[in-house]
Amino acid sequence: MELKSRLLPNLTSDPDFFGRFAERFARYMGTANFLLYMTVFVIVWISINVVGLFGLHWDPYPFILLNLFFSTQASYAAPLILLAQNRQDDRDRVQIEQDRSRNERNLADTEYLTREIAALRISLREVATRDFVRSELRGLLEELLAVQDDPHTSGPQTEGRDTLKETRNSKRSTNP
């Protein structure tokens, strides 16, 4: 058992190591550099074996060895790409769950704020606004002035009536 553990690498110490390797490998295989290098490799392989440069002619025309290399590469590439996709799916699933919980919190916050705004609107309807108070005061002032301007009133109120008229006229001239 000890001999077996010494000969084989311990892949269980970092379980994400192989997953990260698969993602890097899949990412590299999807680049233009990989395609360029593979094309150059195939052209060099075929030209050396067809022409027989430097007396090398190890893989004659059907290029069986080259096909074996491609088959081996494909047999390893497909599972690595699938592993990389599975890891991406797991990350996407976690991200979706986080987004869902964030959206639920935002919805709860929005509903709370909506209720608070509704409560404020209800309470503001019961509060007298500045315009309402001004209109009520103007109405009372007009009633007072109408009572004072009534020709049926006489006596000491005449002096007060003149003072009120002067005050009213001076305020009207200063306030447009």
Side-chain angles (χ1 to χ4, degrees), residues 14-150:
D14 188 10
D16 284 337
F17 173 76
F18 194 71
R20 287 191 306 267
F21 168 75
E23 287 175 341
R24 284 193 306 264
F25 180 79
R27 197 171 297 123
Y28 177 70
M29 284 188 71
T31 63
N33 282 338
F34 176 77
L35 293 174
L36 180 70
Y37 294 148
M38 282 300 289
T39 304
V40 169
F41 174 76
V42 169
I43 290 171
V44 168
W45 181 283
I46 291 174
S47 61
I48 288 176
N49 281 296
V50 168
V51 176
L53 293 175
F54 311 114
L56 300 174
H57 198 66
W58 69 88
D59 193 16
Y61 167 65
F63 307 116
I64 295 172
L65 187 58
L66 182 61
N67 285 329
L68 178 66
F69 285 155
F70 283 147
S71 297
T72 305
Q73 177 192 13
S75 69
Y76 279 99
L80 289 174
I81 291 170
L82 288 174
L83 177 63
Q85 286 176 342
N86 288 340
R87 286 175 52 92
Q88 184 63 42
D89 288 343
D90 292 342
R91 281 194 297 272
D92 290 344
R93 193 175 302 110
V94 168
Q95 184 66 35
I96 287 170
E97 286 299 321
Q98 290 175 349
D99 289 345
R100 184 176 292 127
S101 66
R102 188 177 315 117
N103 288 341
E104 288 173 358
R105 285 193 310 268
N106 287 341
L107 181 62
D109 290 344
T110 303
E111 289 174 351
Y112 171 75
L113 290 173
T114 303
R115 286 190 303 272
E116 288 296 315
I117 289 173
L120 285 173
R121 284 182 178 170
I122 290 170
S123 64
L124 280 178
R125 286 183 190 150
E126 297 170 2
V127 174
T129 62
R130 180 176 50 185
D131 294 334
F132 175 75
V133 171
R134 282 184 182 169
S135 68
E136 290 294 315
L137 288 176
R138 278 192 194 116
L140 290 174
L141 182 61
E142 288 174 2
E143 286 179 19
L144 284 174
L145 292 175
V147 167
Q148 288 179 351
D149 287 340
D150 193 9

